[in-house]
């Protein structure tokens, strides 16, 4: 429940949401949820937004920052008071690896120009997901990451860190605290700005050498968190995948991947 650097690991039953909600309401805190819906991934957005309205940061101010190549295709979802959709048009990339990795650059750019003036915290997530239980202010902190559901019970030697020393994402075998998921991280806008800036630069340095880290932006995120320790860590309750064969399952699955193992959407698979 606590890392060796005294960051809490957030599991159901470890916090009192009533107290936390009061604290964050007094600060009138506002939260930006960034999500990318490029090309076919637009199909995930409706379920994502509808379930976020029900479960994400209920009672707080929320901006949904939706990055897409087709602003006009953003579904009309009825929002509660204090919440709004902010469509942000971005270019498309041909390779899906670039769509995924360029998220770092995009979040960096918009953090500096826009988000810093509009919200206090950023939560950056995948779109091929739905909320099924509450995700609230208990996750908020300077800098937070999420334990990857396939590795939270695993030993370090099977973590899928980048292992080629030439890559900026390289992590030596005797280092590494956790294996963090690329699909859920965040913090204050200033911290997310630093994170995305560093990850983007690392991705570009690799690109110059014709290298691409084994798990793309996720590999760079893991490298960043090794040397910039998160101040809070989210348990896999916050990013669960029912396809994962796990010896232990969390009591509550708050945010779940939507099945997409059909070639209509894609066919990448992680071997675990
Ligand atoms: C393979 O054909 C593709 S397409 C893999 C990712 C693709 C993709 C990803 C896309 O076409 N459009 C898009 O908006 N994305 C965004 O990148 C979307 O927000 C998605 O959640 C995120 C990461 O991709 P992913 O969810 O497929 O990655 P994993 O399998 O690691 O969850
Ligand atoms: Mn995903």
């Amino acid at each position: 429940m606590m890392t060796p650097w005294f960051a809490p690991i957030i599991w159901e039953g470890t916090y009192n949401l009533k107290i936390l909600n009061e604290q964050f309401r007094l600060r009138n805190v506002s939260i930006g949820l960034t999500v990318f819906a490029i090309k076919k991934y637009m199909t995930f957005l409706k379920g994502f937004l509808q379930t976020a309205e029900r479960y994400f940061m209920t009672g707080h101010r929320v901006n949904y920052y939706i990055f897409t190549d087709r602003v006009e295709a953003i579904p009309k979802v009825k929002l509660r008071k204090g919440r709004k959709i902010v469509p942000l048009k971005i270019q498309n990339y041909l390779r899906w690896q670039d769509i995924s990795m360029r998220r770092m650059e995009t979040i960096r750019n918009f953090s500096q120009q826009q988000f810093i003036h509009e919200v206090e915290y950023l939560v950056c997530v995948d779109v091929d997901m739905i909320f099924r239980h509450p995700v609230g202010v208990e996750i908020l902190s300077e800098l937070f990451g999420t334990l990857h559901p396939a590795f939270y019970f695993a030993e370090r030697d099977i973590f899928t860190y980048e292992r080629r020393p030439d890559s900026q994402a390289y992590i030596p075998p005797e280092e590494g605290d956790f294996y963090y998921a690329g699909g859920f991280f965040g913090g204050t806008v200033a911290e997310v700005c630093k994170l995305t800036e560093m990850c983007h630069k690392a991705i570009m340095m690799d690109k110059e050498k014709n290298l691409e880290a084994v798990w793309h932006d996720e590999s760079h995120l893991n490298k960043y968190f090794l040397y910039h320790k998160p101040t809070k860590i989210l348990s896999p309750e916050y990013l669960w995948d029912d396809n994962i064969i796990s010896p232990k399952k969390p009591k509550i699955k708050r945010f779940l991947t939507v099945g997409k193992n059909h070639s209509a959407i894609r066919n990448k698979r992680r071997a675990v």
Side-chain angles (χ1 to χ4, degrees), residues 1 6 23 38 47 81 121-122 127 137-138 211 216 262:
M1 270 166 49
F6 293 124
Q23 289 181 334
I38 314 271
K81 197 167 159 281
Y121 292 96
L122 287 174
V127 73
V137 295
E138 75 278 2
L211 276 172
H216 317 106
H262 38 86

Side-chain angles (χ1 to χ4, degrees), residues 4 40 45 50 129:
K40 287 180 182 169
L45 195 54
Q50 282 173 337
M129 307 288 301

Side-chain angles (χ1 to χ4, degrees), residues 59-107:
H60 298 277
R61 295 196 290 140
V62 173
N63 285 1
Y64 293 104
Y65 293 124
I66 299 172
F67 294 105
T68 180
D69 53 335
R70 285 187 301 130
V71 165
E72 68 286 355
I74 295 176
K76 305 274 175 290
V77 172
K78 196 169 161 9
L79 305 182
R80 297 199 229 190
K81 197 167 159 281
R83 307 168 75 98
K84 65 176 177 212
I85 286 178
V86 183
L88 300 166
K89 182 158 169 78
I90 55 163
Q91 77 171 90
N92 175 18
Y93 284 93
L94 287 176
R95 298 174 61 245
W96 65 261
Q97 294 89 339
D98 290 322
I99 294 178
S100 189
M101 290 191 297
R102 289 283 176 173
R103 291 186 291 178
M104 292 295 183
E105 179 185 31
T106 308
I107 295 169

Side-chain angles (χ1 to χ4, degrees), residues 161-177:
Y161 292 146
E162 175 56 61
R163 299 301 190 186
R164 291 168 297 173
D166 280 353
S167 168
Q168 293 297 312
Y170 172 64
I171 296 179
E174 67 285 359
E175 289 187 54
D177 307 299

Side-chain angles (χ1 to χ4, degrees), residues 40-59:
K40 287 180 182 169
Y41 275 53
M42 183 56 86
T43 55
F44 294 113
L45 195 54
K46 192 168 187 187
F48 176 92
L49 288 171
Q50 282 173 337
T51 57
E53 273 303 290
R54 181 140 180 223
Y55 294 117
F56 182 75
M57 301 287 170
T58 319

Side-chain angles (χ1 to χ4, degrees), residues 85-256:
I85 286 178
V86 183
L88 300 166
K89 182 158 169 78
I90 55 163
Q91 77 171 90
N92 175 18
Y93 284 93
L94 287 176
R95 298 174 61 245
W96 65 261
Q97 294 89 339
D98 290 322
I99 294 178
S100 189
M101 290 191 297
R102 289 283 176 173
R103 291 186 291 178
M104 292 295 183
E105 179 185 31
T106 308
I107 295 169
R108 191 249 345 232
N109 291 347
F110 281 82
S111 294
Q112 288 172 345
Q113 294 157 16
Q114 183 172 351
F115 303 157
I116 193 82
H117 307 296
E118 297 181 348
V119 291
E120 218 166 317
Y121 292 96
L122 287 174
V123 179
C124 309
V125 298
D126 270 13
V127 73
D128 55 340
M129 307 288 301
I130 53 160
F131 293 88
R132 204 178 275 163
H133 286 281
V135 172
V137 295
E138 75 278 2
I139 70 170
L140 299 179
S141 190
E142 285 284 299
L143 181 65
F144 61 86
T146 306
L147 302 180
H148 193 295
F151 297 98
Y152 77 101
F153 53 85
E155 294 296 326
R156 175 199 277 165
D157 56 333
I158 74 151
F159 291 173
T160 54
Y161 292 146
E162 175 56 61
R163 299 301 190 186
R164 291 168 297 173
D166 280 353
S167 168
Q168 293 297 312
Y170 172 64
I171 296 179
E174 67 285 359
E175 289 187 54
D177 307 299
F178 300 105
Y179 191 79
Y180 300 96
F184 198 144
F185 64 88
T188 58
V189 180
E191 285 302 321
V192 171
C193 198
K194 280 192 236 168
L195 178 155
T196 49
E197 162 86 351
M198 243 185 143
C199 289
H200 173 60
K201 281 195 172 149
I203 289 166
M204 289 299 111
M205 283 169 80
D206 274 9
K207 199 179 171 69
E208 271 172 31
K209 291 191 194 168
N210 234 340
L211 276 172
E212 195 164 84
V214 57
W215 286 105
H216 317 106
D217 41 306
E218 184 173 87
S219 307
H220 292 278
L221 182 73
N222 272 278
K223 176 67 175 276
Y224 186 84
F225 280 152
L226 174 57
Y227 299 119
H228 307 81
K229 306 274 193 231
T231 51
K232 254 186 197 177
I233 295 194
L234 312 186
S235 69
E237 292 170 8
Y238 292 90
L239 206 171
W240 191 255
D241 182 341
D242 275 329
N243 295 313
I244 282 171
I245 301 149
S246 168
K248 299 182 214 150
K249 286 190 166 58
K251 264 184 272 169
I252 294 193
K253 302 165 188 173
R254 301 168 191 274
F255 190 46
L256 285 120

